[in-house]
Amino acid sequence: MRDITELPRDLFLLIIAYLPPRTCIRCRRVSRQWFAAFTSQDISLLLLRWNFPRCREMRLAAAAATLSSISPQALDSLSSNNLGVELKCFTTETHSWSSTFAAVARRYHHLRYAKPRVVDKIELAGPNQDKDSRSSAFSFRGVAPWNRYLRLNQNTANFHYDDPSWWYSQEDGVLVYPTAGTPIDRDTGRVYQVLDLSTGTQVSVPFDVRQKHIRRVRLAQGVLVVEWAEALPYHQLNDREVVHRHFVTAFDVVRLPSDPARGAPDATTGWTWTVKLRSEWKLHFLGLPLNRSDRFFSAHTATHYAVYFWQPNRSLYQDDPIEQLAVWDISSPSTYRPSEDPNGDNKQEVPERAHSIPVGLWNGAHSGANGNGTTSDMAVSSSAHPASDTKLSLAKSTIASGPRVIRRMAWRELGFYNLRQRATPQLRNLALDDRNLYFVEEEHRWADGQHSSLSPPRVHHVRCTGIPIIPTPACATSFPPKRPPFAVIHNSSTVSDPTDGPVLGPIWVDACGADGDVNMSFCRRAAASSGPSRGPPSADGWAWTTSTATANSSHLQSTSNNSSGGSTSAQATISAFLEYPQRWPGWAPCWRHEDFPYLTVAEMVDFPAGVRITARHCFMLETISVHVRPGSISIKGANGGLDDDEVDAKKKKRNSGARKKRASNASTEAVRSEEVQFGDDMWSELVHKGYIAGDERWVLGEGEDGRITVVRF
């Protein structure tokens, strides 16, 4: 025997199990015999499983290994899910595990050292960029944020950011953005593109941007929502303001398997994308002015859309702003477009499952007015014959299709839930799950500006209020939902057997004041979640590494080791891959003040992979850091899977580049020290809009030059 490659296989595996990934790659260059041993399919797959058990490739492999054990009906249902189509395409492709292991090892090497492997720039369409006078230019008029900023002595910093004109979907791995470089097509007016960052496939969104002002774009759960306003005003609001009609257009972004027989140019990628119109509806019944005073916040899932309006009161007798909330059921597709039918000649009457409310509610009148138009009167009249009303509503729903309003709330209802924002709004964003709507509010001690609070908190206060909003059968009502603290969001979630009428139930309130204690921790939950414990988070915890992701990872490893399990285990493994875990929106966003006095502006968390990238600032001090959860990579060996030169380089980087952090205990300091910072120039390349996105493969953000920066690892 001359070298280790001639050892018995079991001894050889015991030895290489302690080699870090970088050393395994280097061993390929020793000799031809070593190259053959370290590039074999089975050895490379084992090294990938040992060193990177939670990477995307291993999750796909574990789920694909169980497809033969599931029922034909379950196999056919995968085609209705974007991740399911990717999984089916993965099983039909031939994989070189030696190349995959090298690519994943390179990816996590750059992640652990916060070193970009490749930095790509994507040009965005801007105003007046189209020089062709025969077609109108692209116009993005984002919704104005609150007039609040941070001020301490003479230092100021951003507290809110403008909305980006693009969006990234982590579960699908696609980017939606307005492309630049080519004139807007005169026949279609298409400028928005859907780009698959893994394959480079790009398809256009069938949306005409001519004579429109885009207000907001968002992609979630395979549904693309474009909120826009007409370029021409609809009517005169007063002597100085005009109103533009606002609409929402929803598209289904669907992944389809490529057909090599048709000679498709992207057939080698395994799949392609198509964008289909789902429906369109009017955002506000009168319209909104295009100014920086009238604001609206929205959120959507695959089946529902919610919007909250905040408008200054233009009445001479009322000072409180007008506040309204509406929730639509968008699960039913429809080809009717109200923007192309101003007179409503072709409109189909779609019954609303919400109780009728007076028109005055939408004009700012109090919802508790006496008379026949009160909400309580409507509730009593509709409950006189509940059975007949339900049958009538369900019968009407079979005639007409399209978006329908399922709930409206105005001043009185919002005040009942303690959600009135009034003149000092604290609302940060809305969030939706399969049953409830969440108001995420935030206030800061150093907040200043027109909308800042007159009685600021001691340090930093965040609160999340959840209210039952989506109709559900009475037998299924439970709140808070019986699920892990961090919910799994389904792409194909639907509401079956909806019940008409109001949705009753208790509200959910979770708040964190970050008031601190004798150890100056400022946030008890942030300190608890940063400890060395690897178990599931407690009931009051909010650790960014979710229990569902951890459970899914361990289940995938066990299933990949034994792919001959039963049908139940196989379906559970596939469900673990299809159910992309995310943080449950019901928890207050304590991550915003986890490192006070630094404010976490944005974060990108890939829960299944255990990778988190955060952007924090404290006035002039700005930093972007990455943390890879220890369970995501191998920890065998004395140095935790690192070469000696890697250990020395890591220690040097910590001592020279790591900033000082205030911690409440030794465990928090140890975990904080695991974060590695990017270069100082990355802030201006990624966080100009206060929004970053991505997954373990890349991170995206908009730079100060107005271009999207894609940092690939």
Side-chain angles (χ1 to χ4, degrees), residues 519-548:
N519 295 318
M520 300 298 288
S521 64
F522 290 98
C523 181
R524 172 177 55 86
R525 285 191 287 189
S529 65
S530 302
S533 174
R534 304 295 177 226
S538 60
D540 60 346
W542 66 274
W544 71 267
T545 50
T546 71
S547 57
T548 55

PDB file of all heavy atoms in Angstrom, residues 519-548:
ATOM      1  N   ASN A 519     -27.933  44.257  32.641  1.00  0.00           N
ATOM      2  CA  ASN A 519     -26.806  43.867  31.796  1.00  0.00           C
ATOM      3  C   ASN A 519     -26.790  44.612  30.463  1.00  0.00           C
ATOM      4  O   ASN A 519     -25.966  44.300  29.600  1.00  0.00           O
ATOM      5  CB  ASN A 519     -26.856  42.356  31.526  1.00  0.00           C
ATOM      6  CG  ASN A 519     -26.672  41.550  32.798  1.00  0.00           C
ATOM      7  OD1 ASN A 519     -25.832  41.887  33.632  1.00  0.00           O
ATOM      8  ND2 ASN A 519     -27.453  40.496  32.944  1.00  0.00           N
ATOM      9  N   MET A 520     -27.720  45.561  30.292  1.00  0.00           N
ATOM     10  CA  MET A 520     -27.787  46.363  29.076  1.00  0.00           C
ATOM     11  C   MET A 520     -27.962  45.485  27.840  1.00  0.00           C
ATOM     12  O   MET A 520     -27.335  45.671  26.808  1.00  0.00           O
ATOM     13  CB  MET A 520     -26.522  47.226  28.928  1.00  0.00           C
ATOM     14  CG  MET A 520     -26.312  48.189  30.070  1.00  0.00           C
ATOM     15  SD  MET A 520     -27.658  49.400  30.204  1.00  0.00           S
ATOM     16  CE  MET A 520     -27.315  50.412  28.785  1.00  0.00           C
ATOM     17  N   SER A 521     -28.835  44.486  27.935  1.00  0.00           N
ATOM     18  CA  SER A 521     -29.075  43.604  26.792  1.00  0.00           C
ATOM     19  C   SER A 521     -30.037  44.220  25.784  1.00  0.00           C
ATOM     20  O   SER A 521     -30.018  43.844  24.626  1.00  0.00           O
ATOM     21  CB  SER A 521     -29.642  42.271  27.276  1.00  0.00           C
ATOM     22  OG  SER A 521     -30.906  42.472  27.887  1.00  0.00           O
ATOM     23  N   PHE A 522     -30.905  45.123  26.235  1.00  0.00           N
ATOM     24  CA  PHE A 522     -31.846  45.856  25.396  1.00  0.00           C
ATOM     25  C   PHE A 522     -32.934  44.976  24.802  1.00  0.00           C
ATOM     26  O   PHE A 522     -34.005  45.453  24.524  1.00  0.00           O
ATOM     27  CB  PHE A 522     -31.128  46.616  24.275  1.00  0.00           C
ATOM     28  CG  PHE A 522     -30.336  47.775  24.774  1.00  0.00           C
ATOM     29  CD1 PHE A 522     -28.981  47.656  24.979  1.00  0.00           C
ATOM     30  CD2 PHE A 522     -30.955  48.970  25.074  1.00  0.00           C
ATOM     31  CE1 PHE A 522     -28.248  48.715  25.459  1.00  0.00           C
ATOM     32  CE2 PHE A 522     -30.226  50.038  25.555  1.00  0.00           C
ATOM     33  CZ  PHE A 522     -28.869  49.903  25.754  1.00  0.00           C
ATOM     34  N   CYS A 523     -32.697  43.728  24.562  1.00  0.00           N
ATOM     35  CA  CYS A 523     -33.719  42.854  24.031  1.00  0.00           C
ATOM     36  C   CYS A 523     -33.475  41.452  24.554  1.00  0.00           C
ATOM     37  O   CYS A 523     -32.495  40.806  24.193  1.00  0.00           O
ATOM     38  CB  CYS A 523     -33.729  42.864  22.506  1.00  0.00           C
ATOM     39  SG  CYS A 523     -35.014  41.817  21.788  1.00  0.00           S
ATOM     40  N   ARG A 524     -34.370  41.001  25.417  1.00  0.00           N
ATOM     41  CA  ARG A 524     -34.198  39.687  26.032  1.00  0.00           C
ATOM     42  C   ARG A 524     -34.261  38.581  24.997  1.00  0.00           C
ATOM     43  O   ARG A 524     -33.495  37.624  25.036  1.00  0.00           O
ATOM     44  CB  ARG A 524     -35.270  39.491  27.099  1.00  0.00           C
ATOM     45  CG  ARG A 524     -35.320  38.091  27.690  1.00  0.00           C
ATOM     46  CD  ARG A 524     -36.376  38.031  28.779  1.00  0.00           C
ATOM     47  NE  ARG A 524     -37.667  38.473  28.286  1.00  0.00           N
ATOM     48  CZ  ARG A 524     -38.545  37.660  27.668  1.00  0.00           C
ATOM     49  NH1 ARG A 524     -38.234  36.409  27.461  1.00  0.00           N
ATOM     50  NH2 ARG A 524     -39.705  38.120  27.249  1.00  0.00           N
ATOM     51  N   ARG A 525     -35.158  38.714  24.041  1.00  0.00           N
ATOM     52  CA  ARG A 525     -35.312  37.643  23.063  1.00  0.00           C
ATOM     53  C   ARG A 525     -34.140  37.589  22.096  1.00  0.00           C
ATOM     54  O   ARG A 525     -33.729  36.531  21.646  1.00  0.00           O
ATOM     55  CB  ARG A 525     -36.620  37.816  22.307  1.00  0.00           C
ATOM     56  CG  ARG A 525     -37.810  37.422  23.133  1.00  0.00           C
ATOM     57  CD  ARG A 525     -39.047  37.346  22.286  1.00  0.00           C
ATOM     58  NE  ARG A 525     -39.526  38.669  21.906  1.00  0.00           N
ATOM     59  CZ  ARG A 525     -40.685  38.881  21.305  1.00  0.00           C
ATOM     60  NH1 ARG A 525     -41.449  37.870  20.999  1.00  0.00           N
ATOM     61  NH2 ARG A 525     -41.071  40.088  20.990  1.00  0.00           N
ATOM     62  N   ALA A 526     -33.585  38.756  21.734  1.00  0.00           N
ATOM     63  CA  ALA A 526     -32.428  38.750  20.846  1.00  0.00           C
ATOM     64  C   ALA A 526     -31.245  38.081  21.509  1.00  0.00           C
ATOM     65  O   ALA A 526     -30.501  37.320  20.890  1.00  0.00           O
ATOM     66  CB  ALA A 526     -32.071  40.172  20.435  1.00  0.00           C
ATOM     67  N   ALA A 527     -31.048  38.333  22.800  1.00  0.00           N
ATOM     68  CA  ALA A 527     -29.948  37.694  23.507  1.00  0.00           C
ATOM     69  C   ALA A 527     -30.171  36.200  23.648  1.00  0.00           C
ATOM     70  O   ALA A 527     -29.263  35.393  23.512  1.00  0.00           O
ATOM     71  CB  ALA A 527     -29.769  38.334  24.884  1.00  0.00           C
ATOM     72  N   ALA A 528     -31.422  35.800  23.916  1.00  0.00           N
ATOM     73  CA  ALA A 528     -31.708  34.380  24.076  1.00  0.00           C
ATOM     74  C   ALA A 528     -31.534  33.620  22.773  1.00  0.00           C
ATOM     75  O   ALA A 528     -31.059  32.490  22.742  1.00  0.00           O
ATOM     76  CB  ALA A 528     -33.128  34.193  24.616  1.00  0.00           C
ATOM     77  N   SER A 529     -31.933  34.248  21.668  1.00  0.00           N
ATOM     78  CA  SER A 529     -31.842  33.567  20.378  1.00  0.00           C
ATOM     79  C   SER A 529     -30.424  33.473  19.877  1.00  0.00           C
ATOM     80  O   SER A 529     -30.131  32.685  18.987  1.00  0.00           O
ATOM     81  CB  SER A 529     -32.676  34.301  19.335  1.00  0.00           C
ATOM     82  OG  SER A 529     -32.139  35.584  19.100  1.00  0.00           O
ATOM     83  N   SER A 530     -29.501  34.259  20.444  1.00  0.00           N
ATOM     84  CA  SER A 530     -28.129  34.254  19.973  1.00  0.00           C
ATOM     85  C   SER A 530     -27.253  33.290  20.747  1.00  0.00           C
ATOM     86  O   SER A 530     -26.060  33.210  20.498  1.00  0.00           O
ATOM     87  CB  SER A 530     -27.539  35.671  20.062  1.00  0.00           C
ATOM     88  OG  SER A 530     -28.309  36.563  19.321  1.00  0.00           O
ATOM     89  N   GLY A 531     -27.805  32.584  21.723  1.00  0.00           N
ATOM     90  CA  GLY A 531     -27.029  31.670  22.522  1.00  0.00           C
ATOM     91  C   GLY A 531     -26.597  30.444  21.759  1.00  0.00           C
ATOM     92  O   GLY A 531     -26.979  30.209  20.618  1.00  0.00           O
ATOM     93  N   PRO A 532     -25.794  29.598  22.375  1.00  0.00           N
ATOM     94  CA  PRO A 532     -25.260  28.442  21.668  1.00  0.00           C
ATOM     95  C   PRO A 532     -26.238  27.303  21.525  1.00  0.00           C
ATOM     96  O   PRO A 532     -25.919  26.296  20.912  1.00  0.00           O
ATOM     97  CB  PRO A 532     -24.073  28.034  22.548  1.00  0.00           C
ATOM     98  CG  PRO A 532     -24.474  28.462  23.930  1.00  0.00           C
ATOM     99  CD  PRO A 532     -25.281  29.722  23.748  1.00  0.00           C
ATOM    100  N   SER A 533     -27.426  27.423  22.099  1.00  0.00           N
ATOM    101  CA  SER A 533     -28.389  26.329  22.027  1.00  0.00           C
ATOM    102  C   SER A 533     -28.807  26.076  20.595  1.00  0.00           C
ATOM    103  O   SER A 533     -29.095  26.995  19.843  1.00  0.00           O
ATOM    104  CB  SER A 533     -29.624  26.651  22.877  1.00  0.00           C
ATOM    105  OG  SER A 533     -30.609  25.657  22.705  1.00  0.00           O
ATOM    106  N   ARG A 534     -28.873  24.813  20.193  1.00  0.00           N
ATOM    107  CA  ARG A 534     -29.278  24.451  18.837  1.00  0.00           C
ATOM    108  C   ARG A 534     -30.676  23.857  18.814  1.00  0.00           C
ATOM    109  O   ARG A 534     -31.115  23.348  17.805  1.00  0.00           O
ATOM    110  CB  ARG A 534     -28.284  23.431  18.254  1.00  0.00           C
ATOM    111  CG  ARG A 534     -26.858  23.916  18.260  1.00  0.00           C
ATOM    112  CD  ARG A 534     -26.671  25.107  17.355  1.00  0.00           C
ATOM    113  NE  ARG A 534     -25.307  25.605  17.435  1.00  0.00           N
ATOM    114  CZ  ARG A 534     -25.008  26.866  17.553  1.00  0.00           C
ATOM    115  NH1 ARG A 534     -25.957  27.761  17.633  1.00  0.00           N
ATOM    116  NH2 ARG A 534     -23.753  27.248  17.589  1.00  0.00           N
ATOM    117  N   GLY A 535     -31.357  23.856  19.932  1.00  0.00           N
ATOM    118  CA  GLY A 535     -32.689  23.282  19.976  1.00  0.00           C
ATOM    119  C   GLY A 535     -33.721  24.224  19.409  1.00  0.00           C
ATOM    120  O   GLY A 535     -33.431  25.354  19.009  1.00  0.00           O
ATOM    121  N   PRO A 536     -34.981  23.785  19.340  1.00  0.00           N
ATOM    122  CA  PRO A 536     -36.039  24.643  18.821  1.00  0.00           C
ATOM    123  C   PRO A 536     -36.216  25.867  19.692  1.00  0.00           C
ATOM    124  O   PRO A 536     -35.968  25.834  20.904  1.00  0.00           O
ATOM    125  CB  PRO A 536     -37.277  23.738  18.863  1.00  0.00           C
ATOM    126  CG  PRO A 536     -36.744  22.348  18.948  1.00  0.00           C
ATOM    127  CD  PRO A 536     -35.447  22.448  19.695  1.00  0.00           C
ATOM    128  N   PRO A 537     -36.624  26.995  19.118  1.00  0.00           N
ATOM    129  CA  PRO A 537     -36.839  28.207  19.897  1.00  0.00           C
ATOM    130  C   PRO A 537     -37.993  28.033  20.860  1.00  0.00           C
ATOM    131  O   PRO A 537     -38.917  27.262  20.635  1.00  0.00           O
ATOM    132  CB  PRO A 537     -37.143  29.269  18.839  1.00  0.00           C
ATOM    133  CG  PRO A 537     -37.658  28.498  17.680  1.00  0.00           C
ATOM    134  CD  PRO A 537     -36.948  27.181  17.712  1.00  0.00           C
ATOM    135  N   SER A 538     -37.934  28.765  21.943  1.00  0.00           N
ATOM    136  CA  SER A 538     -39.005  28.708  22.931  1.00  0.00           C
ATOM    137  C   SER A 538     -40.224  29.428  22.409  1.00  0.00           C
ATOM    138  O   SER A 538     -40.215  30.044  21.346  1.00  0.00           O
ATOM    139  CB  SER A 538     -38.536  29.347  24.241  1.00  0.00           C
ATOM    140  OG  SER A 538     -38.171  30.695  24.020  1.00  0.00           O
ATOM    141  N   ALA A 539     -41.295  29.361  23.184  1.00  0.00           N
ATOM    142  CA  ALA A 539     -42.551  29.965  22.736  1.00  0.00           C
ATOM    143  C   ALA A 539     -42.438  31.464  22.569  1.00  0.00           C
ATOM    144  O   ALA A 539     -43.140  32.058  21.766  1.00  0.00           O
ATOM    145  CB  ALA A 539     -43.674  29.628  23.717  1.00  0.00           C
ATOM    146  N   ASP A 540     -41.543  32.099  23.332  1.00  0.00           N
ATOM    147  CA  ASP A 540     -41.407  33.548  23.215  1.00  0.00           C
ATOM    148  C   ASP A 540     -40.131  33.934  22.486  1.00  0.00           C
ATOM    149  O   ASP A 540     -39.712  35.071  22.521  1.00  0.00           O
ATOM    150  CB  ASP A 540     -41.405  34.199  24.601  1.00  0.00           C
ATOM    151  CG  ASP A 540     -40.256  33.704  25.477  1.00  0.00           C
ATOM    152  OD1 ASP A 540     -39.640  32.689  25.100  1.00  0.00           O
ATOM    153  OD2 ASP A 540     -39.992  34.333  26.512  1.00  0.00           O
ATOM    154  N   GLY A 541     -39.502  32.993  21.811  1.00  0.00           N
ATOM    155  CA  GLY A 541     -38.279  33.295  21.091  1.00  0.00           C
ATOM    156  C   GLY A 541     -38.556  33.660  19.654  1.00  0.00           C
ATOM    157  O   GLY A 541     -39.625  33.449  19.128  1.00  0.00           O
ATOM    158  N   TRP A 542     -37.530  34.212  18.998  1.00  0.00           N
ATOM    159  CA  TRP A 542     -37.722  34.595  17.608  1.00  0.00           C
ATOM    160  C   TRP A 542     -36.480  34.278  16.789  1.00  0.00           C
ATOM    161  O   TRP A 542     -36.235  34.873  15.760  1.00  0.00           O
ATOM    162  CB  TRP A 542     -38.018  36.086  17.493  1.00  0.00           C
ATOM    163  CG  TRP A 542     -36.874  36.944  17.886  1.00  0.00           C
ATOM    164  CD1 TRP A 542     -36.563  37.354  19.138  1.00  0.00           C
ATOM    165  CD2 TRP A 542     -35.856  37.474  17.033  1.00  0.00           C
ATOM    166  NE1 TRP A 542     -35.423  38.099  19.125  1.00  0.00           N
ATOM    167  CE2 TRP A 542     -34.964  38.196  17.841  1.00  0.00           C
ATOM    168  CE3 TRP A 542     -35.601  37.405  15.673  1.00  0.00           C
ATOM    169  CZ2 TRP A 542     -33.846  38.842  17.340  1.00  0.00           C
ATOM    170  CZ3 TRP A 542     -34.485  38.044  15.181  1.00  0.00           C
ATOM    171  CH2 TRP A 542     -33.629  38.760  16.006  1.00  0.00           C
ATOM    172  N   ALA A 543     -35.690  33.294  17.235  1.00  0.00           N
ATOM    173  CA  ALA A 543     -34.415  33.010  16.594  1.00  0.00           C
ATOM    174  C   ALA A 543     -34.577  32.882  15.086  1.00  0.00           C
ATOM    175  O   ALA A 543     -35.511  32.286  14.598  1.00  0.00           O
ATOM    176  CB  ALA A 543     -33.829  31.726  17.158  1.00  0.00           C
ATOM    177  N   TRP A 544     -33.612  33.472  14.367  1.00  0.00           N
ATOM    178  CA  TRP A 544     -33.755  33.479  12.912  1.00  0.00           C
ATOM    179  C   TRP A 544     -33.581  32.097  12.339  1.00  0.00           C
ATOM    180  O   TRP A 544     -34.029  31.822  11.224  1.00  0.00           O
ATOM    181  CB  TRP A 544     -32.761  34.443  12.298  1.00  0.00           C
ATOM    182  CG  TRP A 544     -31.323  34.026  12.352  1.00  0.00           C
ATOM    183  CD1 TRP A 544     -30.414  34.344  13.315  1.00  0.00           C
ATOM    184  CD2 TRP A 544     -30.622  33.241  11.387  1.00  0.00           C
ATOM    185  NE1 TRP A 544     -29.200  33.800  13.010  1.00  0.00           N
ATOM    186  CE2 TRP A 544     -29.288  33.124  11.838  1.00  0.00           C
ATOM    187  CE3 TRP A 544     -30.976  32.623  10.203  1.00  0.00           C
ATOM    188  CZ2 TRP A 544     -28.320  32.418  11.139  1.00  0.00           C
ATOM    189  CZ3 TRP A 544     -30.015  31.914   9.504  1.00  0.00           C
ATOM    190  CH2 TRP A 544     -28.703  31.816   9.967  1.00  0.00           C
ATOM    191  N   THR A 545     -32.928  31.187  13.034  1.00  0.00           N
ATOM    192  CA  THR A 545     -32.842  29.805  12.590  1.00  0.00           C
ATOM    193  C   THR A 545     -34.056  29.077  13.119  1.00  0.00           C
ATOM    194  O   THR A 545     -34.156  28.765  14.298  1.00  0.00           O
ATOM    195  CB  THR A 545     -31.558  29.153  13.131  1.00  0.00           C
ATOM    196  OG1 THR A 545     -31.473  29.389  14.533  1.00  0.00           O
ATOM    197  CG2 THR A 545     -30.346  29.734  12.452  1.00  0.00           C
ATOM    198  N   THR A 546     -35.014  28.794  12.265  1.00  0.00           N
ATOM    199  CA  THR A 546     -36.309  28.315  12.704  1.00  0.00           C
ATOM    200  C   THR A 546     -36.265  26.852  13.067  1.00  0.00           C
ATOM    201  O   THR A 546     -35.441  26.087  12.596  1.00  0.00           O
ATOM    202  CB  THR A 546     -37.351  28.500  11.599  1.00  0.00           C
ATOM    203  OG1 THR A 546     -37.067  27.563  10.562  1.00  0.00           O
ATOM    204  CG2 THR A 546     -37.336  29.889  11.037  1.00  0.00           C
ATOM    205  N   SER A 547     -37.212  26.480  13.901  1.00  0.00           N
ATOM    206  CA  SER A 547     -37.320  25.080  14.267  1.00  0.00           C
ATOM    207  C   SER A 547     -37.757  24.233  13.088  1.00  0.00           C
ATOM    208  O   SER A 547     -37.353  23.084  12.953  1.00  0.00           O
ATOM    209  CB  SER A 547     -38.322  24.922  15.419  1.00  0.00           C
ATOM    210  OG  SER A 547     -39.582  25.451  15.052  1.00  0.00           O
ATOM    211  N   THR A 548     -38.602  24.805  12.208  1.00  0.00           N
ATOM    212  CA  THR A 548     -39.039  24.033  11.040  1.00  0.00           C
ATOM    213  C   THR A 548     -37.879  23.767  10.109  1.00  0.00           C
ATOM    214  O   THR A 548     -37.763  22.683   9.547  1.00  0.00           O
ATOM    215  CB  THR A 548     -40.146  24.786  10.297  1.00  0.00           C
ATOM    216  OG1 THR A 548     -39.677  26.102   9.977  1.00  0.00           O
ATOM    217  CG2 THR A 548     -41.383  24.897  11.143  1.00  0.00           C
TER     218      THR A 548
END
